[in-house]
Structures are given as structure tokens and as C-alpha cells.
């Protein structure tokens, strides 16, 4: 029975390893592998203990059950040998678990050993989306963290609102993002051209479940650098008189209170000079910072509103039908798509195609 239960549990755990479902059992980097090893070692130890204890219990229940002619068994008071055995064995088991865990703690707190290269990233938890700032490149993006493969990523974690938790199951375990307490972590991906799901793992408000992000691993370092070069540039300038130019006017009139676009409503790719603690570190408010994501290269992203929607650009033809366009859905009624979020706009229906066209042009 215990074997059947064990197999059933294992099969439940393994069903989590589907193609698109994030799983700690499918690690894609050294940090996640170390964490997954701790899981497997403890699971195996626990399975051996479980099978052993349940086996003896079931055997004894059957072998020593009461029968009509059973004599009264001998009555025992204390047995030093047995008591030593059941103290020493659990102590040894716990020491084994402890040593594996402590090794794991040191593994995840230090740069992974598969590369000498490092990139710095500051991740800001907002309600409810993730912003990523690259201090070496002076660029900022949202919803998707782009990294090169085989490179140590050093992430500093900031929040100025509530506690979030940064988790990329295939790459790294959870680390809380706490206002006033700066955490940091390391991870690294050893597969190229892959995208991994990231999750906020600490309840942070009504849209906690919709605070997702992607970690996109580029083909190689050059691929990452060309993406970075693009992100550092000012926004594309629409041709005068075009639909995009009209959209830019709509943006300037309706969106700049919360969103920045470099070259349009702000001069640098980030919103203020990052101080040593990172930017937007006033614990009480978005001090000097805009509350919404920077949209300078929005058209190069593939998620909208903290991963609530895919940015399906193929369905967003501004000249034609926008009924399946998620960007249009989001802009026309953000409270319907993600109730409780900070975005409240009142874009006139007739302005929607222009705004969609403009945002789409921001590659
Ligand atoms: Cu942020 Cu949950």
C-alpha cells in the first residue's frame, strides 16, 4: 500500500513537468539544479523512512493481531537498546538532511560556477508587474527579463509597496522582495533560445496571480548585446501625418502621467539617476518615478500587463479589425482585464487604432 501511495505521489509530481508548465523538477541552470537536488535527496530519504516505518507497522498489525487463542503478550517497561536505536537513526537522518540543505543554501548564495561573466539586474516588484533595470546598460524594461545564456545574473530585489517574491521555477527558487529590506540573488541559464515562466510567489493583492513575467534567454551574448543596443535607443519617431504620429499625440495627451517614452516624454531610458540603492527607493511613494512601465520599446515585448495577456501583434492590425487584439482590449478597458490595477484611461474609441499603431511601432 505504501508503495502504491509512493508511486501515486511521484506520478502526481511528475505530471507537473509538462512542456509549458514551470517546474522545479526541470531545472535549466546550476542554481535550480542545486535546489532540485535538495528536493530529490530529501524526497528519497523521506520515501525510505516512509516505506520502512509503514512496512513494519503493517507487518506488525497483521503478524501480531489478536486471535481467539492468543495468550497475553509479555508486558515490557522500557528497552534501552530499542530507545537508543530510535533516537540515533532519526538523528543521523536529520543530520543528512541538514548537511544537504546547508550545502544548498551556500550554493544559491554565491555566483553559479558555470561562467565568469556577470550581468547586473535590478528587479522592482510593483503592484502588479515586474520592472527590470540594467544598471550597466542604463536601460529598463517590463514583464520580460532578457538575459544571455551561460552568464551569471546578479539580481537585486526592490519593492516600495508590499512584499512580493521573485520566482523562476526552472532557473531559481523564491526570494522575497521586501520594502526596506534589500534582497539579492544569483542565477544562470545554461540553455539558449528559451523562455521561462517567472511568478510572483508572495500574495501581494488582488492581482497577485497575474504578476507574471518571462525570462528570455537569448541565443548568445552578441544576441543579448544587440537587444541591449536597441533598448538603449530613443523611441522610433513616427512619420509626420501618419497614423502612428496621431497615436503619439494621443499618448502625449493621455498616458504621460504614468508612462514614459524616451525621446517623447523623457530624456533618459530610466526615469531618474539610479542612486546606490537603485531608483524609486522612497518607501512611501513612487518618488519622482512614474507609476507605470516605461514604454520606449513596447513593440519589442510580448507580454502585456504583467503577463495577463499575450501581446498578439498579428491580431493588432491598426488599419483593420482590432476585436482580437489584446493590446486594444487592454487599453480600452484595463479594469475589466485586470481589476484593481492602477491604470484608468479613457481613450476615445476613434483614437484606439492610432494609439495601437504607435505603441506597436515602438520596436
Ligand atoms: Cu507580487 Cu504577488
Amino acid at each position: 500500500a505504501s508503495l502504491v501511495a509512493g508511486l501515486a505521489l511521484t506520478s502526481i509530481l511528475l505530471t507537473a513537468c509538462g512542456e509549458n508548465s514551470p517546474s522545479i523538477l526541470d531545472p535549466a541552470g546550476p542554481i535550480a539544479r542545486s535546489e532540485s537536488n535538495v528536493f530529490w535527496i530529501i524526497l528519497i530519504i523521506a520515501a525510505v523512512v516512509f516505506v520502512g516505518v509503514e512496512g513494519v507497522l503493517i507487518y506488525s498489525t497483521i503478524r501480531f493481531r489478536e486471535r481467539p487463542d492468543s495468550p497475553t503478550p509479555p508486558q515490557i517497561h522500557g528497552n534501552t537498546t530499542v530507545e537508543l536505536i530510535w533516537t540515533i537513526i532519526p538523528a543521523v537522518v536529520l543530520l543528512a538532511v541538514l548537511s544537504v540543505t546547508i550545502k544548498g543554501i551556500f550554493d544559491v548564495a554565491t555566483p553559479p560556477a558555470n561562467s565568469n561573466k556577470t550581468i547586473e539586474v535590478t528587479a522592482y516588484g510593483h503592484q502588479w508587474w515586474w520592472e527590470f533595470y540594467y544598471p550597466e546598460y542604463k536601460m529598463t524594461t517590463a514583464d520580460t527579463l532578457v538575459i544571455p545564456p551561460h552568464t551569471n545574473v546578479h539580481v537585486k530585489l526592490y519593492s516600495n509597496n508590499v512584499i512580493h517574491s521573485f520566482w523562476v521555477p526552472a532557473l531559481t527558487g523564491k526570494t522575497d522582495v521586501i520594502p526596506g529590506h534589500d534582497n539579492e540573488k544569483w542565477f544562470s541559464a545554461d540553455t539558449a533560445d528559451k523562455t521561462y515562466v517567472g511568478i510572483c510567489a508572495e500574495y501581494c493583492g488582488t492581482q497577485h496571480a497575474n504578476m507574471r513575467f518571462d525570462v528570455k534567454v537569448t541565443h548568445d551574448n552578441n544576441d543579448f548585446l544587440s537587444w541591449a543596443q536597441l533598448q538603449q535607443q530613443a523611441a522610433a519617431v513616427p512619420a509626420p501625418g501618419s497614423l502612428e504620429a496621431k497615436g503619439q499625440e494621443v499618448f502625449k495627451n493621455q498616458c504621460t502621467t504614468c508612462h514614459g517614452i524616451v525621446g517623447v516624454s523623457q530624456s533618459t531610458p530610466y526615469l531618474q539617476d539610479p542612486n546606490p540603492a537603485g531608483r524609486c527607493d522612497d518607501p512611501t511613494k513612487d518618488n519622482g518615478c512614474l507609476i507605470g512601465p516605461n514604454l520606449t520599446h513596447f513593440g519589442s515585448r510580448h507580454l502585456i500587463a504583467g503577463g495577463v495577456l499575450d501581446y498578439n501583434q498579428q491580431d493588432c492590425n491598426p488599419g483593420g479589425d482590432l476585436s482580437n487584439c489584446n493590446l486594444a482590449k487592454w487599453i480600452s478597458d484595463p479594469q475589466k482585464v485586470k481589476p484593481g490595477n492602477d491604470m484608468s484611461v479613457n481613450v476615445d474609441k476613434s483614437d484606439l487604432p492610432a494609439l495601437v499603431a504607435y505603441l506597436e511601432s515602438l520596436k
Side-chain angles (χ1 to χ4, degrees), residues 151-222:
T151 301
N152 295 336
V153 185
H154 183 218
V155 188
K156 290 185 176 159
L157 298 162
Y158 293 108
S159 165
N160 65 355
N161 40 81
V162 298
I163 301 176
H164 306 273
S165 186
F166 180 97
W167 186 29
V168 190
L171 296 175
T172 173
K174 303 162 186 172
T175 305
D176 277 1
V177 185
I178 304 169
H181 178 91
D182 304 335
N183 279 337
E184 56 181 311
K185 67 186 306 167
W186 292 92
F187 71 90
S188 166
D190 47 27
T191 45
D193 294 317
K194 277 271 210 175
T195 298
Y196 298 99
V197 171
I199 297 165
C200 177
E202 178 69 48
Y203 182 74
C204 55
T206 51
Q207 292 293 338
H208 154 72
N210 288 322
M211 187 170 165
R212 303 195 28 170
F213 62 102
D214 275 353
V215 176
K216 187 182 172 204
V217 187
T218 59
H219 182 65
D220 55 21
N221 201 48
N222 286 338

